[in-house]
Amino acid sequence: MPAVVKCPTCGKDVSWVPENKFRPFCSHRCKQIDLGAWASEKYVIGGKPDETPSPDLPADEED
């Protein structure tokens, strides 16, 4: 039995199967809505712009 997850955009149940090319989204529309939210900076990753990278990360992993 495949796992079922909620679409991050609309909350509809989505089967997590290889045939669902939009997973974890339920549709192309929901995938595009999420991409648009990222592009318009509605989502952010925590931290302050002036923070320096952690000294325990190698230089090539700072981005």
Side-chain angles (χ1 to χ4, degrees), residues 1-22:
M1 176 180 258
V4 176
V5 298
K6 297 282 185 189
C7 173
T9 303
C10 72
K12 188 184 298 184
D13 287 342
V14 178
S15 293
W16 193 271
V17 292
E19 295 81 28
N20 179 1
K21 63 183 179 179
F22 303 115

Side-chain angles (χ1 to χ4, degrees), residues 9-53:
T9 303
C10 72
K12 188 184 298 184
D13 287 342
V14 178
S15 293
W16 193 271
V17 292
E19 295 81 28
N20 179 1
K21 63 183 179 179
F22 303 115
R23 69 179 189 243
F25 303 97
C26 67
S27 66
H28 179 70
R29 179 179 182 272
C30 281
K31 186 177 178 180
Q32 291 300 104
I33 290 170
D34 186 74
L35 179 61
W38 276 105
S40 65
E41 299 181 355
K42 289 186 180 177
Y43 302 137
V44 294
I45 297 174
K48 298 175 188 150
D50 60 344
E51 282 186 29
T52 56

